[in-house]
Amino acid sequence: MEASTYLQPITKTEQGLDPQDWSELRQLGHRMVEDMIDHLASVTQRPVWQEMPAEVRRRFHNDPPLDGEGAEKAYRDFQQYVLPYAEGNLHPRFWAWVIGAGSGLGMLADMLAAGINPNLGSGDHAPALVERQVIDWMKQALGFPSEASGLLVTGGSMANIIGLAVARHVKAGINVKEDGLFPAKARMMFYGSSETHNSVVKGLQLLGFGKQSFSPIPVSTDFRIQIPALQDAIGRDTKNGLKPICVIGNAGTVNTGAIDDLAALADLCAEHGLWFHVDGAIGALLAISDKLQPMLRGMERADSLAFDLHKWMQMPYDVGCVLVRDEAQHREAFSEGAGYLSRMPRGLCSGERWFSDYGPELSRGFRALKVWMCLKQHGLRKYGELFEQNVEQTGYLAGLVESTRELELMARGELNIVCFRYRGRVPDEQALNVLNRELLMRLQEQGVAAPSVAVLGGRFAIRVSICNHRSRREDLDLFVREALRIGREIEKSPA
């Protein structure tokens, strides 16, 4: 084909997505920043959560626009139909699940990251150095060796999957990358307490093991894994021809915030030659606090560690992290060559490490920037003080519950979670479950607070997880008063 075939004249005006008049976008951008800072500054003046009217819900079932409506209209729709009906986790009385409250600079950092819009999968560019530095800071803060590797990911679920995938690669005894699990002569087994997060089971399913490869170990009354029961399970499975390869320790369980005896688990894994993975989505970062760090003794011995920065560290969603002690094992589990990923000695295609070699994704956003900037703004010590503040607030809430006859404390872990229920004079367990379900929903619907659910021994509990830098003791006082008021209303006039 002759070269002239490609040199056909362009008959249409070439288009793009940039505005013809940048001043209009600049004005809208300034307004967006001002509006969102006002939104953060006035968060306490709004209900924690409010239900969307049916009319608003219908707005999200329209056909896609074929012709543009303009940036101004898009922003007005955001203000009217999205902003008032957000999850509510900015509010100081949002205590549902373990979700951080974000911060002003974190919000602006995400804008900056989107503005330069890099791909963190490959290449030699400054954003890659930012992510590498954030990982180095995390290794240092959490007691991992400097030669360990790591990766920023969407959250604890993906961090767990990556840690378990490296465990599979190292401990399977077969070439999983080449042959999959087909040559395995025995089912491989993973162990964790019955309080282990469901992302672990989902991860094992995605990795081809199936739910039967997870052995849930009973917990003690403090919701920590029973080490003798774990020893028995490993011995029994080995005797029955199964292949134990990994133990998952919990640095803060989702129901109660319990921390397993991580040092004992590290000893056990060393004894049996097992991979030691720690799910520290909630509590791992408490190692930053000198006061709280002793609860995590043994975590630094993990082969892999998963944790979140968008939870207690207050970074905007999403950003989690996985650390792996052995960099070569981590890289070997995921590295896969391709011509379009060829490395060059110089230029953009150079670089010491490409993050695509340490996880499943080649396309990766610049989530490191908000972490980097917020750590520079506040410093690690400030975050440690906030962790301690939330733990103290949790103790205060537990004291309020115990000082009131109508409320019953059901669980108080070492960290930031309190589970309680309204008991009043209701003797029947089933009726108590119904009453407290209704109490939880009314607390949310009335915009008072947003706790969540825990089911402990078949009993419905209202679960309060305090990892919010905006929470104050007066918020807890108000919450308990309102829980009593609504509980008494339901008890007198059950739905």
Side-chain angles (χ1 to χ4, degrees), residues 109-178:
D110 261 349
M111 181 190 70
L112 299 178
I116 59 174
N117 195 32
N119 178 8
L120 270 291
S122 57
D124 184 26
H125 49 129
L129 299 184
V130 171
E131 179 161 346
R132 195 173 303 151
Q133 185 168 47
V134 166
I135 292 167
D136 286 344
W137 287 347
M138 292 300 102
K139 289 186 292 187
Q140 185 175 345
L142 302 186
F144 262 57
S146 60
E147 62 271 17
S149 66
L151 191 70
L152 296 185
V153 294
T154 54
S157 296
M158 181 55 71
N160 279 330
I161 289 171
I162 290 176
L164 298 175
V166 182
R168 180 185 66 175
H169 172 76
V170 174
K171 296 294 184 180
I174 57 176
N175 190 337
V176 176
K177 288 183 70 174
E178 188 67 27

Side-chain angles (χ1 to χ4, degrees), residues 452-474:
S452 62
V453 177
V455 179
L456 305 175
R459 300 184 301 171
F460 187 95
I462 294 172
R463 176 182 169 279
V464 178
S465 170
I466 306 175
C467 59
N468 191 318
H469 66 91
R470 298 188 178 99
S471 296
R472 300 293 181 264
R473 288 195 175 196
E474 51 264 34

Side-chain angles (χ1 to χ4, degrees), residues 22 62 76 87 107-108 118 120 133 171 221 244 298 306 336 374 380 404 424 454 462 470 472:
W22 283 98
N62 296 337
R76 286 202 307 270
E87 190 170 29
M107 173 188 73
L108 296 174
L120 270 291
Q133 185 168 47
K171 296 294 184 180
T221 55
E336 191 66 41
C374 288
L380 285 175
T404 306
I462 294 172
R470 298 188 178 99
R472 300 293 181 264

Side-chain angles (χ1 to χ4, degrees), residues 162 165-166 168-169 177 328-335 357:
I162 290 176
V166 182
R168 180 185 66 175
H169 172 76
K177 288 183 70 174
Q329 291 175 342
H330 188 185
R331 175 169 35 84
E332 290 164 3
F334 288 100
S335 180
D357 287 337

Side-chain angles (χ1 to χ4, degrees), residues 368-440:
L369 184 61
K370 56 196 168 192
V371 184
W372 190 75
M373 291 185 69
C374 288
L375 285 175
K376 282 177 170 290
Q377 178 189 20
H378 297 296
L380 285 175
R381 186 176 291 111
K382 177 66 171 290
Y383 286 100
E385 292 169 352
L386 290 175
F387 301 155
E388 295 168 11
Q389 176 175 289
N390 284 157
V391 171
E392 291 170 0
Q393 289 169 338
T394 305
Y396 179 74
L397 174 60
L400 291 177
V401 170
E402 289 189 310
S403 67
T404 306
R405 291 184 179 181
E406 292 161 285
L407 302 179
E408 178 183 3
L409 186 66
M410 299 178 68
R412 162 71 169 102
E414 298 172 271
L415 302 184
N416 64 320
I417 297 174
V418 168
C419 296
F420 74 97
R421 66 179 177 178
Y422 179 91
R423 187 171 189 91
R425 298 182 179 181
V426 182
D428 178 72
E429 287 292 331
Q430 185 58 36
L432 281 172
N433 285 347
V434 172
L435 186 152
N436 281 277
R437 284 173 60 89
E438 181 65 21
L439 171 56
L440 174 70

Side-chain angles (χ1 to χ4, degrees), residues 181-233:
L181 297 177
F182 295 103
K185 296 179 180 179
R187 176 180 287 277
M188 295 175 227
M189 296 301 296
F190 296 73
Y191 304 85
S193 85
S194 57
E195 294 290 295
T196 299
H197 196 270
N198 75 337
S199 65
V200 168
V201 173
K202 291 171 70 174
L204 293 178
Q205 292 169 337
L206 285 170
L207 292 170
F209 293 107
K211 194 172 182 178
Q212 293 301 314
S213 283
F214 179 70
S215 177
I217 306 301
V219 295
S220 303
T221 55
D222 59 3
F223 299 98
R224 304 168 82 196
I225 192 170
Q226 295 182 16
I227 303 295
L230 173 60
Q231 284 272 25
D232 291 345

